[in-house]
Amino acid sequence: MQSQNTLLKQDSHHVWHPYSAIHADTPIYPVKSAQGVNITLMDGRVLIDGMSSWWSAIHGYNHPVLNQAISAQLQDMAHIMFGGLTHQPAVDLALQLVKITPKPLQTVFFSDSGSVSVEVAMKMAIQYWHAKNQANKQKLLTIRYGYHGDTFAAMSVSDPVNGMHSLFSNTLIKQLFAEAPNCTFDQSCAAEDIAPLENQLKEHHAQIAAIILEPIVQGAGGMRFYSPEYLRQVRELCDQYDVLLILDEIATGFGRTGKLFACEHANIAPDILCLGKSLTGGYMTLAATLATREIADTIRDGKPGLFMHGPTFMANPLACATALASLKLLLDSPWQETVNNIQQSLTTGLQACQQYEHVKDVRVLGAIGVIELHQAIDLKTLQPKFVDAGVWVRPFNKLIYLMPPFIISDEQLNKLIKAVCKVVAEIEY
Ligand SMILES: *Cc1c(COP(=O)(O)O)cnc(C)c1O
């Protein structure tokens, strides 16, 4: 194996990282392996994972059951095109997703990443209205602080400020935005919370194909938690104004917020649902867009009678087989109790951070813990402090947040929380 220094030098010269620059001066850490909730760096240090590789690795790393699912599928085929062909892992996974998601969702479109599943959802909504002879309904309406992905259409409905829309002003589709609600998860929703969205609907519903939202938890756009009552009212408004509801559960899906899907907090169902991230337990890249039977039938019966999308690696068998195994692991486990326990430890443990003047807010929902600061952090100085403290945490902007793998032990979780609180205590401006 080449030395760590050579690897880092080559990486720095030639390899892009997420939201980063070539030759950046922010630190990068070479990983040798990962096992359970432990990430082993090339220099031998072992870190407790607080990120689940961005919401994904809910069962931890190198899980024997998921490893076995991949090996078994590999004996049959790694991949096969999905145009004109089908296979057991795809059909089984589609049936399972239909079974565990809200009832009206009956059809599944597989794609290879969350952003693409959002593109697919937006296209479905537009094609649906086109098929109903309402081709004027092409706009999407959403709220501020959202995040729906990095491709252009997904970016067009992500927060205009955080998403740097000004950079792409001539290329980006202009969508409709409303102020986000201020009611927190355990508050009721006041008239002024819903009014901005309702006003946009009143004025523009004839051009709006769908509202797109992250239910209950807004992720990368600000880690905000809002009231289930708000989501219920959005559902009612969609029906009232003849607008579809797309819910993006790419981050929140599969138990993270304490319910299997975050929309269950509000007891509502979307017309279109996007899933990704932890779908395969963080093993493979796979996403899915679910839609109602009515949407699927309307698109088939309209013109051109086809849905206009088809990724090369659609329904990759390795990914589908892994997702099936990951879902079985999750659903056979006492995941609600597990997430509840993580919620309690995060709530108790992170409370200690609230005392510091530079901390604005500490909030927890399910297996998500957020420490919001008054000022943006300096990643260059903060990242090494977390690594020195033996934990992997990746803050952004004013947010330090934790979403550990569900399999984390009490002892590991307490270590993680203690380390984070220690680093937060030492932040200086
Ligand atoms: C991560 C994320 C996406 C984008 O998924 P990718 O797989 O990164 O393309 C979209 N929506 C939400 C809510 C996400 O958290």
Side-chain angles (χ1 to χ4, degrees):
M1 206 187 312
Q2 60 189 337
S3 80
Q4 170 159 301
N5 282 345
T6 313
L7 180 95
L8 280 173
K9 206 165 151 193
Q10 291 170 337
D11 182 275
S12 166
H13 277 288
H14 299 292
V15 187
W16 294 94
H17 286 262
Y19 287 91
S20 188
I22 291 289
H23 270 307
D25 54 0
T26 45
I28 293 270
Y29 302 89
V31 177
K32 183 168 172 292
S33 63
Q35 170 75 44
V37 295
N38 289 329
I39 300 171
T40 303
L41 300 182
M42 251 173 104
D43 63 15
R45 285 185 289 180
V46 179
L47 312 179
I48 297 178
D49 176 31
M51 302 300 293
S52 299
S53 283
W54 279 333
W55 314 84
S56 301
I58 52 176
H59 309 298
Y61 303 92
N62 208 359
H63 196 291
V65 171
L66 300 183
N67 291 1
Q68 169 58 27
I70 294 184
S71 311
Q73 179 56 43
L74 200 49
Q75 305 311 310
D76 289 337
M77 62 192 157
H79 184 64
I80 193 80
M81 67 182 281
F82 211 52
L85 299 172
T86 193
H87 47 80
Q88 202 73 53
V91 175
D92 288 350
L93 179 59
L95 291 186
Q96 180 67 338
L97 291 176
V98 165
K99 188 172 153 203
I100 64 174
T101 53
K103 264 221 177 69
L105 302 165
Q106 291 290 318
T107 66
V108 183
F109 189 104
F110 289 113
S111 58
D112 27 31
S113 78
S115 302
V116 173
S117 79
V118 169
E119 303 273 334
V120 165
M122 291 168 73
K123 263 195 197 175
M124 275 185 183
I126 292 167
Q127 263 199 249
Y128 169 80
W129 291 113
H130 193 275
K132 286 174 80 99
N133 292 318
Q134 298 202 50
N136 46 331
K137 283 168 92 71
Q138 301 232 340
K139 290 270 177 214
L140 274 286
L141 169 60
T142 187
I143 57 175
R144 289 285 317 275
Y145 308 113
Y147 176 76
H148 297 285
D150 290 346
T151 52
F152 271 94
M155 197 167 51
S156 77
V157 287
S158 299
D159 189 82
V161 178
N162 295 334
M164 298 264 169
H165 283 201
S166 55
L167 261 175
F168 307 101
S169 54
N170 288 331
T171 324
L172 214 52
I173 314 159
K174 299 269 186 294
Q175 309 286 14
L176 295 160
F177 287 86
E179 277 310 310
N182 285 314
C183 42
T184 58
F185 180 75
D186 40 19
Q187 288 175 342
S188 62
C189 169
E192 68 251 35
D193 287 310
I194 195 77
L197 193 81
E198 189 169 5
N199 290 339
Q200 289 282 41
L201 277 171
K202 256 186 211 150
E203 197 174 335
H204 301 290
H205 64 92
Q207 297 141 46
I208 298 174
I211 289 182
I212 182 166
L213 292 179
E214 296 155 277
I216 309 299
V217 174
Q218 294 185 288
M223 299 299 294
R224 291 164 50 102
F225 308 156
Y226 64 82
S227 166
E229 206 183 312
Y230 178 82
L231 191 57
R232 259 195 303 277
Q233 293 188 23
V234 172
R235 176 70 269 185
E236 282 168 19
L237 287 171
C238 284
D239 295 338
Q240 186 184 333
Y241 284 99
D242 236 5
V243 160
L244 297 177
L245 179 60
I246 301 171
L247 290 184
D248 176 349
E249 294 238 19
I250 291 166
T252 52
F254 307 109
R256 181 59 65 178
T257 69
K259 300 276 187 191
L260 196 54
F261 299 100
C263 63
E264 293 171 21
H265 287 288
N267 264 319
I268 59 127
D271 303 293
I272 301 177
L273 175 71
C274 298
L275 300 173
K277 288 206 162 97
S278 66
L279 176 56
T280 64
Y283 261 58
M284 321 274 290
T285 174
L286 182 70
T289 309
L290 282 80
T292 61
R293 178 77 56 202
E294 204 242 329
I295 291 176
D297 287 352
T298 304
I299 290 173
R300 182 203 55 216
D301 296 340
K303 284 216 162 72
L306 311 165
F307 179 59
M308 299 303 286
H309 210 99
T312 304
F313 289 101
M314 189 168 184
N316 172 259
L318 283 180
C320 289
T322 313
L324 271 168
S326 171
L327 278 177
K328 183 161 165 38
L329 266 184
L330 180 69
L331 298 174
D332 288 351
S333 77
W335 61 268
Q336 268 162 311
E337 202 185 312
T338 306
V339 172
N340 234 331
N341 288 341
I342 297 175
Q343 170 167 309
Q344 275 172 22
S345 297
L346 287 173
T347 307
T348 317
L350 293 180
Q351 210 44 49
C353 295
Q354 190 85 68
Q355 62 180 302
Y356 306 115
E357 238 169 61
H358 55 280
V359 173
K360 184 178 173 199
D361 187 38
V362 175
R363 49 187 180 266
V364 174
L365 182 66
I368 312 166
V370 181
I371 301 163
E372 182 174 345
L373 308 175
H374 283 290
Q375 291 179 42
I377 54 105
D378 175 20
L379 196 58
K380 209 168 29 180
T381 56
L382 210 55
Q383 187 76 86
K385 287 189 178 155
F386 284 119
V387 172
D388 289 343
V391 296
W392 181 245
V393 179
R394 181 80 176 163
F396 71 90
N397 204 351
K398 297 173 182 169
L399 300 162
I400 296 165
Y401 61 108
L402 298 177
M403 42 212 191
F406 295 170
I407 55 141
I408 196 165
S409 70
D410 287 343
E411 196 194 334
Q412 288 164 324
L413 184 54
N414 287 329
K415 260 194 188 163
L416 173 67
I417 293 169
K418 274 218 179 86
V420 168
C421 289
K422 182 172 162 286
V423 173
V424 168
E426 290 166 3
I427 291 177
E428 285 169 21
Y429 289 100

